[in-house]
Amino acid sequence: MTYTCIETYMPRPRVGAIKLHRPDVLNALSLQTMIELVDAFSAFDSDPEIRCIVLHGSEKAFAAGADISEMTDATTVTMLERDQFARWERIRQTKTPVIAAVSGYALGGGCELAMVCDMIVASDTAQFGQPEINIGVMPGAGGTQRLTRAVGKALAMEMVLTGRPISAQQALQAGLVNRVVPVQWYLEEAYALAEEVASKAPIASRLAKESVLKSFSTTLEVGMEFERKNFYLLFATDDQKEGMAAFIEKRKAQWKGK
Ligand code: HXC
């Protein structure tokens, strides 16, 4: 697929990066952007060379939300037919760990897109918000669900009902982001974190990610069983043998991803 709204590249060995690139509209997430994003995520996800993905926008905007110009005249029927927000679920199904590097605006769908990712590295200029209430609607892709799980009811309710954004520091305090760094380094920081994740045994990474995510959708009992089975499953991999042998032999493990 030829991309017009995003760019993809490899900033480090084994790290795939996706850049949202609609600078004229602060990376507003159009239908075409979502189609391209799903394609890029699935291409990286099926490439065994890629062990971690970084998603970012520009310094000014990660993404200022879903593209309002595409929704102005929409009806319930057209929204249902397009069902473009179901595409977010396809991004959530990415097995490779994903890091969002967020600078500037992460609003509405932009905040929701960052929250679909597994970790968030924020620049000190980042702001996170769910301003949909200001345009007569409400969040539609995780702003009432993932945000609430991440920051708790009090702050989520305030953000959703007032539409007021929070700063990067507030987001850090609330547990929404992993770290905040000066804007000039935020991408480097995300690449470095991605490189660290990418250096681990890839099948273990994928199953570990899957198990953490499972905790959001199931009971503790079922989640514990799921975790245990994934743990046992890893004993069928060469990397488990290699990792444990390398520890005993006091050398660095050489992962095969098998
Ligand atoms: C379409 C957008 C846009 C958006 C900005 N633009 N956000 N276009 N959809 N979400 C466009 C503007 O129209 C403008 O185009 C250009 O980007 C620059 O924006 P300005 O408003 O001039 O910039 P600024 O004054 O710096 O204000 C930045 C801003 C503001 C505070 C981020 O743009 C803003 O409030 N944007 C909307 C944020 C929002 O409501 N997001 C939620 C969308 S609904 P022109 O042509 O005039 O230069 C949503 C629902 C999600 O996300 C549901 C599930 C996914």
Side-chain angles (χ1 to χ4, degrees):
M1 182 186 278
T2 308
Y3 300 138
T4 57
C5 307
I6 65 170
E7 292 168 2
T8 59
Y9 60 102
M10 281 182 67
R12 297 278 191 282
R14 295 189 292 233
V15 175
I18 303 173
K19 178 182 183 184
L20 297 162
H21 190 57
R22 298 187 75 212
D24 295 346
V25 287
L26 304 177
N27 294 330
L29 300 164
S30 59
L31 181 54
Q32 181 60 27
T33 309
M34 294 311 298
I35 290 170
E36 292 180 16
L37 270 179
V38 168
D39 187 80
F41 270 108
S42 98
F44 277 146
D45 207 25
S46 54
D47 181 345
E49 286 304 307
I50 300 295
R51 309 271 170 88
C52 190
I53 300 169
V54 173
L55 173 66
H56 67 95
S58 66
E59 281 188 8
K60 189 170 180 198
F62 177 73
D67 194 320
I68 299 170
S69 68
E70 288 184 344
M71 297 187 289
T72 314
D73 297 322
T75 64
T76 299
V77 173
T78 53
M79 290 303 279
L80 279 169
E81 276 171 359
R82 281 186 211 157
D83 204 15
Q84 77 193 73
F85 302 121
R87 287 172 205 282
W88 301 71
E89 286 312 295
R90 307 248 294 276
I91 294 175
R92 185 186 61 80
Q93 286 159 10
T94 304
K95 291 188 167 65
T96 312
V98 182
I99 297 168
V102 176
S103 184
Y105 301 115
L107 302 178
C111 185
E112 290 167 317
L113 182 59
M115 290 190 294
V116 178
C117 302
D118 303 312
M119 292 186 268
I120 302 179
V121 171
S123 88
D124 53 7
T125 66
Q127 46 174 291
F128 298 84
Q130 299 291 159
E132 290 91 340
I133 201 77
N134 297 329
I135 53 171
V137 287
M138 59 172 276
T144 66
Q145 301 300 304
R146 288 199 181 95
L147 182 65
T148 308
R149 283 170 167 80
V151 306
K153 177 186 163 189
L155 183 56
M157 201 61 101
E158 189 170 332
M159 289 172 69
V160 168
L161 294 181
T162 68
R164 235 186 302 114
I166 58 171
S167 68
Q169 279 303 334
Q170 283 173 295
L172 183 66
Q173 231 169 18
L176 183 61
V177 307
N178 293 72
R179 59 192 72 168
V180 178
V181 292
V183 62
Q184 62 269 32
W185 297 324
Y186 85 103
L187 269 184
E188 284 304 314
E189 184 75 16
Y191 296 155
L193 181 58
E195 221 178 346
E196 188 180 348
V197 171
S199 73
K200 309 296 177 187
I203 302 175
S205 289
R206 286 177 165 222
L207 294 193
K209 164 178 171 163
E210 183 187 48
S211 300
V212 172
L213 290 179
K214 192 76 176 172
S215 72
F216 290 100
S217 64
T218 193
T219 61
L220 181 62
E221 196 187 352
V222 172
M224 291 296 291
E225 198 177 319
F226 188 85
E227 176 190 76
R228 206 159 45 241
K229 287 196 175 148
N230 270 351
F231 176 69
Y232 296 152
L233 205 54
L234 288 170
F235 286 75
T237 65
D238 291 350
D239 285 345
Q240 173 269 325
K241 303 284 174 294
E242 165 65 7
M244 293 190 179
F247 175 80
I248 299 294
E249 293 159 18
K250 301 191 188 305
R251 61 175 174 82
K252 196 170 184 291
Q254 301 294 323
W255 308 124
K256 286 198 246 162
K258 290 189 178 6

